[in-house]
């Protein structure tokens, strides 16, 4: 018989737009919580043996999304991980629902103005940004916001360096566990 996980045991899922810092901060957060870190994009790259832009080129976005779905179902069922999902993962209702049902979902919320500062480090490795005008990127940014509303907790990243963000999130999570699951 499977018992439901307590909030302390649930894996933490980092969601939000490309470049919000899910991979960087997620990794640091895992270390602070003594958990293993899983980056779904990295797992997809391992599965195909190729970097993401090459996967899109050789196999197409659908093959990427199918593998993303499979890995989210698998890792999202395991306890005590910190999992960063790609910014497009929550486009699939199935992925959103699985993470919401089994994990604690943290939304990394970044403003358009802060995000713009990061464009230069993102375009080469994110096929969905390549060859887009600034206006098209803003449109994608705005369109995507509604999918991230599926979360348990929102974190505004604009004013935090990555290390500070991880420290803040770890402290907030521990505090909420003490309040909501004091006996666990
Ligand atoms: N809090 C932060 N402040 C400034 N730069 C950051 C912060 N978090 C991440 N970055 C930088 O932004 C870029 C994208 O970060 P990344 O973790 O890959 O985002 P995501 O996984 O959400 O796409 C990287 O170059 C990273 O070093
Ligand atoms: O938003 C998206 O559709 C994507 C986001 C990327 O991950 P990050 O959000 O970690 O950049 C990666 O999964 C892929 O390039 C597609
Ligand atoms: Mg990432």
């Amino acid at each position: 018989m499977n018992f439901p996980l307590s909030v302390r045991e649930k894996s933490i899922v980092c969601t939000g737009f490309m470049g919000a810092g899910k991979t960087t901060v997620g990794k640091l957060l895992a270390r602070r919580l003594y958990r293993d870190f899983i980056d779904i994009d990295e797992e997809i790259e391992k599965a195909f043996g190729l970097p993401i832009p090459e996967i899109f080129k050789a196999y197409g976005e659908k093959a990427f999304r199918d593998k993303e779905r499979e890995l989210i179902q698998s890792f999202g069922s395991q306890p005590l991980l910190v999992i960063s999902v790609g910014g497009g993962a929550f486009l699939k209702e199935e992925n959103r629902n699985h993470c919401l049902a089994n994990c604690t979902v943290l939304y990394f919320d970044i403003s358009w103005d802060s995000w713009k500062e990061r464009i230069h480090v993102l375009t080469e490795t994110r096929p969905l940004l390549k060859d887009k005008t600034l206006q098209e990127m803003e449109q994608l940014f705005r369109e995507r916001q509604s999918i991230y509303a599926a979360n348990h907790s929102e974190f505004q990243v604009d004013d935090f360096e990555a290390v500070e963000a991880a420290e803040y999130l770890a402290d907030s999570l521990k505090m909420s566990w003490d309040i909501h699951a004091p006996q666990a």
Side-chain angles (χ1 to χ4, degrees):
M1 186 173 172
N2 288 328
F3 292 95
L5 294 173
S6 82
V7 284
R8 287 175 186 272
E9 295 167 313
K10 284 183 179 198
S11 286
I12 292 153
V13 168
C14 306
T15 186
F17 197 61
M18 289 173 258
K22 304 176 298 292
T23 298
T24 310
V25 176
K27 198 176 287 177
L28 295 168
L29 176 61
R31 210 177 295 159
R32 287 201 158 256
L33 297 175
Y34 300 93
R35 292 183 176 207
D36 286 335
F37 174 69
I38 297 293
D39 188 71
I40 296 293
D41 285 337
E42 200 182 310
E43 297 299 321
I44 298 169
E45 291 183 327
K46 276 194 233 163
F48 283 92
L50 289 171
I52 289 173
E54 300 302 318
I55 299 171
F56 271 64
K57 247 187 255 162
Y59 299 97
E61 183 173 351
K62 183 173 183 310
F64 173 87
R65 295 296 174 199
D66 288 348
K67 183 57 74 181
E68 181 176 58
R69 191 198 130 275
E70 183 189 317
L71 290 164
I72 288 174
Q73 297 297 315
S74 166
F75 284 111
S77 303
Q78 295 178 31
L80 296 170
L81 300 172
V82 174
I83 304 168
S84 291
V85 300
F90 271 30
L91 287 168
K92 272 202 169 77
E93 190 182 9
E94 192 183 346
N95 292 341
R96 297 198 297 267
N97 288 345
H98 188 74
C99 293
L100 286 169
N102 296 286
C103 309
T104 299
V105 177
L106 295 185
Y107 165 37
F108 282 49
D109 181 14
I110 188 166
S111 70
W112 170 248
D113 283 339
S114 295
W115 188 82
K116 273 194 301 188
E117 305 293 318
R118 298 189 188 173
I119 290 177
H120 64 288
V121 293
L122 301 176
T123 43
E124 276 312 304
T125 47
R126 272 71 172 185
L128 295 183
L129 297 179
K130 211 161 164 34
D131 304 324
K132 276 203 166 58
T133 63
L134 186 65
Q135 207 180 8
E136 287 167 336
M137 288 186 203
E138 181 168 8
Q139 195 184 339
L140 182 66
F141 178 91
R142 307 257 174 235
E143 276 168 15
R144 285 281 185 87
Q145 296 307 306
S146 64
I147 66 169
Y148 308 129
N151 68 65
H152 294 114
S153 190
E154 303 189 358
F155 171 58
Q156 224 296 331
V157 305
D158 287 14
D159 298 327
F160 289 86
E161 289 300 323
V163 172
E164 290 172 345
E167 198 176 288
Y168 174 85
L169 286 171
D171 289 349
S172 304
L173 283 162
K174 286 182 200 163
M175 214 184 296
S176 83
W177 293 337
D178 286 344
I179 293 167
H180 298 294
Q183 312 297 336

